[in-house]
Amino acid sequence: MGDVAAPKARALGPEEKDECMKIFDIFDRNAENIAPVSDTMDMLTKLGQTYTKRETEAIMKEARGPKGDKKNLGPEEWLTLCSKWVRQDDEEEILRAFKVFDANGDGVIDFDEFKFIMQKVGEEPLTDAEVEEAMKEADEDGNGVIDIPEFMDLIKKSKNALKEA
């Protein structure tokens, strides 16, 4: 068996950093700005991740670097780990949702599929005109269907709107 590859990192936003650091602080029991590596599985679980012990060890090795402390993680190492999961998790979740809503599996969401989504997420039934208006807003290139990038943008905009509300 080959080495297990860790997910790729990306920049975390301020809210994501705060959320990751809240979890880190739980495991920084003595307020020494370190958390035991042995608690990493618990920290990952709190972030909604499930990895085998071997996968966790590979991820930890990459985060620590060749000269890092083998028993403890510092805040920067922890944020490096977080940066690898947040994006992967979001994108995988959105792709799974897209596949569910793309009922005929043609790689796009058409009007009927979008109407179904809107009826399921809305509190009140929408008229065809309301669904059409929402679809026009989501259909950034105006081709009459919603592709994966447009769907990802729609979900991210929706999440941001919920955070602001």
Side-chain angles (χ1 to χ4, degrees):
M1 286 189 205
D3 287 338
V4 176
K8 292 183 180 177
R10 72 148 176 107
L12 294 173
E15 289 179 12
E16 294 165 330
K17 279 185 181 178
D18 287 346
E19 191 64 32
C20 286
M21 288 313 297
K22 284 178 188 172
I23 295 168
F24 179 85
D25 290 343
I26 292 169
F27 292 94
D28 179 13
R29 293 185 184 105
N30 300 324
E32 296 174 331
N33 229 12
I34 58 172
V37 167
S38 59
D39 291 340
T40 303
M41 294 289 266
D42 291 334
M43 288 192 270
L44 295 176
T45 301
K46 293 213 183 294
L47 283 174
Q49 304 298 320
T50 51
Y51 291 100
T52 65
K53 183 177 181 184
R54 184 171 170 208
E55 289 169 324
T56 302
E57 287 170 358
I59 292 166
M60 294 299 302
K61 182 178 177 182
E62 184 177 322
R64 280 193 314 264
K67 296 181 182 178
D69 182 345
K70 291 188 176 8
K71 294 185 180 182
N72 297 296
L73 283 178
E76 290 305 314
E77 293 164 324
W78 176 244
L79 286 175
T80 297
L81 291 175
C82 285
S83 71
K84 294 172 183 271
W85 300 306
V86 174
R87 179 179 175 159
Q88 177 190 21
D89 208 35
D90 285 350
E91 286 183 0
E92 286 179 5
E93 185 178 317
I94 292 170
L95 285 173
R96 279 194 299 272
F98 182 87
K99 288 177 183 177
V100 169
F101 295 127
D102 178 18
N104 63 8
D106 64 355
V108 294
I109 296 174
D110 62 28
F111 178 82
D112 291 331
E113 292 165 330
F114 191 69
K115 182 177 178 180
F116 178 79
I117 296 168
M118 297 302 290
Q119 301 296 355
K120 291 295 179 188
V121 299
E123 293 178 18
E124 298 177 21
L126 299 175
T127 66
D128 283 356
E130 290 169 323
V131 173
E132 192 172 319
E133 184 63 34
M135 186 157 175
K136 281 181 186 175
E137 197 172 311
D139 180 18
E140 295 168 357
D141 61 9
N143 66 351
V145 293
I146 299 170
D147 57 25
I148 292 172
E150 291 168 335
F151 187 75
M152 286 189 167
D153 287 347
L154 176 66
I155 297 299
K156 289 174 185 175
K157 287 176 188 173
S158 298
K159 284 183 178 184
N160 288 338
L162 288 174
K163 285 179 184 178
E164 293 171 7

